[in-house]
Amino acid sequence: MKLNIITPVTRPQNLPAIRESIRQQLGKGIDIAWWVIFDSTCPMPADGWKDQLDEVENQVQATITGIAGHCHRNTFLMQQELRARIESLNVLKEWIYCIDDDNILHPDLVPWLVNKKAELGIYGMVAFDQVLKTGELRLKAGKIAPNHIDTAQFMWRGLRSQGVRFREDLYNADGYFAMEICQPHIEELIVNQPLCYYNYLRS
């Protein structure tokens, strides 16, 4: 099982904490690729490769900027679909997940994926509960709609998002995107268990 993690970056000072949260989950049974996309307003730091996760971390400098990193997520989706055309359609079976540059990977997500790996074969999308840094529940998975689901709350297979893009003019485009890749399909899995944080790295 491969999990592609996308992180649009305007706050490079948070990358060490995000990197460490991913590092702690390596070698546990999930093949992780981390795509770090620097916004055009945020040049890649000179020491950007310091402590890089070998064969996991991919850093690129974007020539574009936009609201909440949606344009960078779209860039990844287009690149993924191109990979599928050139390499193999199996690329579209890989999972895609977003961790913003003010958040970290929840320590329970990868172990949960490992335990459910066989069951996840029939699903194209998974949504889960979200908690604050304190552990307090912020959003319960269930209603997939704008303002009811956060970027960090769901992961999906590339097959679901073929031709679908985040709206680059809306801050809450994550909700619209999640709703669009859900319909008219029915094979999403709702998990009422906290498997992601909200703005963990914000003070």
PDB file of all heavy atoms in Angstrom, residues 132-149:
ATOM      1  N   LEU A 132      -7.982  18.433  18.165  1.00  0.00           N
ATOM      2  CA  LEU A 132      -7.030  19.507  18.381  1.00  0.00           C
ATOM      3  C   LEU A 132      -5.755  18.932  19.009  1.00  0.00           C
ATOM      4  O   LEU A 132      -5.724  17.757  19.403  1.00  0.00           O
ATOM      5  CB  LEU A 132      -7.639  20.569  19.301  1.00  0.00           C
ATOM      6  CG  LEU A 132      -8.935  21.223  18.817  1.00  0.00           C
ATOM      7  CD1 LEU A 132      -9.484  22.153  19.894  1.00  0.00           C
ATOM      8  CD2 LEU A 132      -8.710  21.982  17.521  1.00  0.00           C
ATOM      9  N   LYS A 133      -4.742  19.740  19.150  1.00  0.00           N
ATOM     10  CA  LYS A 133      -3.481  19.301  19.766  1.00  0.00           C
ATOM     11  C   LYS A 133      -3.717  18.768  21.170  1.00  0.00           C
ATOM     12  O   LYS A 133      -3.019  17.864  21.636  1.00  0.00           O
ATOM     13  CB  LYS A 133      -2.507  20.476  19.788  1.00  0.00           C
ATOM     14  CG  LYS A 133      -1.124  20.156  20.288  1.00  0.00           C
ATOM     15  CD  LYS A 133      -0.212  21.371  20.174  1.00  0.00           C
ATOM     16  CE  LYS A 133       1.202  21.049  20.595  1.00  0.00           C
ATOM     17  NZ  LYS A 133       2.108  22.220  20.412  1.00  0.00           N
ATOM     18  N   THR A 134      -4.724  19.300  21.862  1.00  0.00           N
ATOM     19  CA  THR A 134      -5.047  18.885  23.225  1.00  0.00           C
ATOM     20  C   THR A 134      -5.734  17.533  23.288  1.00  0.00           C
ATOM     21  O   THR A 134      -5.895  16.967  24.363  1.00  0.00           O
ATOM     22  CB  THR A 134      -5.969  19.924  23.876  1.00  0.00           C
ATOM     23  OG1 THR A 134      -7.188  20.007  23.109  1.00  0.00           O
ATOM     24  CG2 THR A 134      -5.310  21.284  23.924  1.00  0.00           C
ATOM     25  N   GLY A 135      -6.180  17.032  22.131  1.00  0.00           N
ATOM     26  CA  GLY A 135      -6.936  15.788  22.090  1.00  0.00           C
ATOM     27  C   GLY A 135      -8.436  16.009  22.060  1.00  0.00           C
ATOM     28  O   GLY A 135      -9.207  15.059  21.903  1.00  0.00           O
ATOM     29  N   GLU A 136      -8.849  17.265  22.173  1.00  0.00           N
ATOM     30  CA  GLU A 136     -10.278  17.591  22.132  1.00  0.00           C
ATOM     31  C   GLU A 136     -10.817  17.407  20.716  1.00  0.00           C
ATOM     32  O   GLU A 136     -10.196  17.819  19.738  1.00  0.00           O
ATOM     33  CB  GLU A 136     -10.489  19.034  22.590  1.00  0.00           C
ATOM     34  CG  GLU A 136     -11.936  19.498  22.544  1.00  0.00           C
ATOM     35  CD  GLU A 136     -12.066  20.971  22.882  1.00  0.00           C
ATOM     36  OE1 GLU A 136     -11.053  21.589  23.275  1.00  0.00           O
ATOM     37  OE2 GLU A 136     -13.176  21.510  22.731  1.00  0.00           O
ATOM     38  N   LEU A 137     -11.988  16.774  20.603  1.00  0.00           N
ATOM     39  CA  LEU A 137     -12.598  16.540  19.304  1.00  0.00           C
ATOM     40  C   LEU A 137     -12.957  17.859  18.637  1.00  0.00           C
ATOM     41  O   LEU A 137     -13.591  18.723  19.237  1.00  0.00           O
ATOM     42  CB  LEU A 137     -13.852  15.680  19.455  1.00  0.00           C
ATOM     43  CG  LEU A 137     -14.596  15.331  18.158  1.00  0.00           C
ATOM     44  CD1 LEU A 137     -13.750  14.400  17.293  1.00  0.00           C
ATOM     45  CD2 LEU A 137     -15.947  14.693  18.460  1.00  0.00           C
ATOM     46  N   ARG A 138     -12.555  18.020  17.375  1.00  0.00           N
ATOM     47  CA  ARG A 138     -12.906  19.217  16.615  1.00  0.00           C
ATOM     48  C   ARG A 138     -13.989  18.929  15.575  1.00  0.00           C
ATOM     49  O   ARG A 138     -14.983  19.620  15.506  1.00  0.00           O
ATOM     50  CB  ARG A 138     -11.680  19.801  15.903  1.00  0.00           C
ATOM     51  CG  ARG A 138     -12.045  21.008  15.035  1.00  0.00           C
ATOM     52  CD  ARG A 138     -10.861  21.580  14.286  1.00  0.00           C
ATOM     53  NE  ARG A 138     -11.291  22.730  13.497  1.00  0.00           N
ATOM     54  CZ  ARG A 138     -11.644  22.668  12.216  1.00  0.00           C
ATOM     55  NH1 ARG A 138     -11.601  21.500  11.565  1.00  0.00           N
ATOM     56  NH2 ARG A 138     -12.026  23.758  11.567  1.00  0.00           N
ATOM     57  N   LEU A 139     -13.774  17.891  14.756  1.00  0.00           N
ATOM     58  CA  LEU A 139     -14.738  17.537  13.728  1.00  0.00           C
ATOM     59  C   LEU A 139     -14.914  16.026  13.680  1.00  0.00           C
ATOM     60  O   LEU A 139     -13.936  15.280  13.629  1.00  0.00           O
ATOM     61  CB  LEU A 139     -14.271  18.005  12.348  1.00  0.00           C
ATOM     62  CG  LEU A 139     -14.536  19.464  11.950  1.00  0.00           C
ATOM     63  CD1 LEU A 139     -13.900  19.747  10.590  1.00  0.00           C
ATOM     64  CD2 LEU A 139     -16.024  19.768  11.924  1.00  0.00           C
ATOM     65  N   LYS A 140     -16.147  15.604  13.704  1.00  0.00           N
ATOM     66  CA  LYS A 140     -16.459  14.179  13.608  1.00  0.00           C
ATOM     67  C   LYS A 140     -16.689  13.829  12.138  1.00  0.00           C
ATOM     68  O   LYS A 140     -17.339  14.571  11.421  1.00  0.00           O
ATOM     69  CB  LYS A 140     -17.713  13.866  14.432  1.00  0.00           C
ATOM     70  CG  LYS A 140     -17.854  12.407  14.823  1.00  0.00           C
ATOM     71  CD  LYS A 140     -18.953  12.261  15.855  1.00  0.00           C
ATOM     72  CE  LYS A 140     -19.076  10.825  16.339  1.00  0.00           C
ATOM     73  NZ  LYS A 140     -17.863  10.358  17.026  1.00  0.00           N
ATOM     74  N   ALA A 141     -16.138  12.729  11.703  1.00  0.00           N
ATOM     75  CA  ALA A 141     -16.340  12.299  10.321  1.00  0.00           C
ATOM     76  C   ALA A 141     -17.788  11.887  10.119  1.00  0.00           C
ATOM     77  O   ALA A 141     -18.396  11.280  10.999  1.00  0.00           O
ATOM     78  CB  ALA A 141     -15.408  11.125   9.991  1.00  0.00           C
ATOM     79  N   GLY A 142     -18.325  12.217   8.988  1.00  0.00           N
ATOM     80  CA  GLY A 142     -19.708  11.837   8.704  1.00  0.00           C
ATOM     81  C   GLY A 142     -20.271  12.623   7.546  1.00  0.00           C
ATOM     82  O   GLY A 142     -20.496  12.082   6.468  1.00  0.00           O
ATOM     83  N   LYS A 143     -20.457  13.920   7.744  1.00  0.00           N
ATOM     84  CA  LYS A 143     -21.001  14.757   6.685  1.00  0.00           C
ATOM     85  C   LYS A 143     -19.865  15.270   5.806  1.00  0.00           C
ATOM     86  O   LYS A 143     -19.013  16.034   6.249  1.00  0.00           O
ATOM     87  CB  LYS A 143     -21.776  15.937   7.274  1.00  0.00           C
ATOM     88  CG  LYS A 143     -22.489  16.774   6.221  1.00  0.00           C
ATOM     89  CD  LYS A 143     -23.358  17.848   6.861  1.00  0.00           C
ATOM     90  CE  LYS A 143     -24.114  18.635   5.795  1.00  0.00           C
ATOM     91  NZ  LYS A 143     -24.984  19.690   6.381  1.00  0.00           N
ATOM     92  N   ILE A 144     -19.863  14.824   4.563  1.00  0.00           N
ATOM     93  CA  ILE A 144     -18.823  15.238   3.635  1.00  0.00           C
ATOM     94  C   ILE A 144     -19.371  16.379   2.792  1.00  0.00           C
ATOM     95  O   ILE A 144     -20.095  16.173   1.814  1.00  0.00           O
ATOM     96  CB  ILE A 144     -18.357  14.054   2.777  1.00  0.00           C
ATOM     97  CG1 ILE A 144     -17.752  12.975   3.692  1.00  0.00           C
ATOM     98  CG2 ILE A 144     -17.346  14.506   1.728  1.00  0.00           C
ATOM     99  CD1 ILE A 144     -17.316  11.725   2.993  1.00  0.00           C
ATOM    100  N   ALA A 145     -19.039  17.598   3.208  1.00  0.00           N
ATOM    101  CA  ALA A 145     -19.556  18.796   2.566  1.00  0.00           C
ATOM    102  C   ALA A 145     -18.693  19.979   2.968  1.00  0.00           C
ATOM    103  O   ALA A 145     -17.953  19.909   3.962  1.00  0.00           O
ATOM    104  CB  ALA A 145     -21.013  19.037   2.987  1.00  0.00           C
ATOM    105  N   PRO A 146     -18.756  21.080   2.211  1.00  0.00           N
ATOM    106  CA  PRO A 146     -17.973  22.274   2.582  1.00  0.00           C
ATOM    107  C   PRO A 146     -18.256  22.706   4.014  1.00  0.00           C
ATOM    108  O   PRO A 146     -19.396  22.663   4.476  1.00  0.00           O
ATOM    109  CB  PRO A 146     -18.466  23.327   1.573  1.00  0.00           C
ATOM    110  CG  PRO A 146     -18.913  22.533   0.391  1.00  0.00           C
ATOM    111  CD  PRO A 146     -19.514  21.274   0.958  1.00  0.00           C
ATOM    112  N   ASN A 147     -17.176  23.058   4.725  1.00  0.00           N
ATOM    113  CA  ASN A 147     -17.230  23.513   6.113  1.00  0.00           C
ATOM    114  C   ASN A 147     -17.575  22.405   7.113  1.00  0.00           C
ATOM    115  O   ASN A 147     -17.781  22.679   8.296  1.00  0.00           O
ATOM    116  CB  ASN A 147     -18.218  24.676   6.273  1.00  0.00           C
ATOM    117  CG  ASN A 147     -17.903  25.828   5.337  1.00  0.00           C
ATOM    118  OD1 ASN A 147     -16.751  26.212   5.183  1.00  0.00           O
ATOM    119  ND2 ASN A 147     -18.925  26.368   4.686  1.00  0.00           N
ATOM    120  N   HIS A 148     -17.646  21.168   6.648  1.00  0.00           N
ATOM    121  CA  HIS A 148     -17.923  20.038   7.543  1.00  0.00           C
ATOM    122  C   HIS A 148     -16.813  18.992   7.515  1.00  0.00           C
ATOM    123  O   HIS A 148     -16.868  18.011   8.255  1.00  0.00           O
ATOM    124  CB  HIS A 148     -19.256  19.373   7.168  1.00  0.00           C
ATOM    125  CG  HIS A 148     -20.451  20.209   7.467  1.00  0.00           C
ATOM    126  ND1 HIS A 148     -21.037  20.260   8.711  1.00  0.00           N
ATOM    127  CD2 HIS A 148     -21.147  21.074   6.680  1.00  0.00           C
ATOM    128  CE1 HIS A 148     -22.069  21.088   8.688  1.00  0.00           C
ATOM    129  NE2 HIS A 148     -22.162  21.596   7.469  1.00  0.00           N
ATOM    130  N   ILE A 149     -15.812  19.203   6.662  1.00  0.00           N
ATOM    131  CA  ILE A 149     -14.690  18.270   6.595  1.00  0.00           C
ATOM    132  C   ILE A 149     -13.432  19.069   6.262  1.00  0.00           C
ATOM    133  O   ILE A 149     -13.468  20.001   5.458  1.00  0.00           O
ATOM    134  CB  ILE A 149     -14.935  17.149   5.555  1.00  0.00           C
ATOM    135  CG1 ILE A 149     -13.835  16.081   5.654  1.00  0.00           C
ATOM    136  CG2 ILE A 149     -15.057  17.703   4.138  1.00  0.00           C
ATOM    137  CD1 ILE A 149     -14.156  14.806   4.889  1.00  0.00           C
TER     138      ILE A 149
END
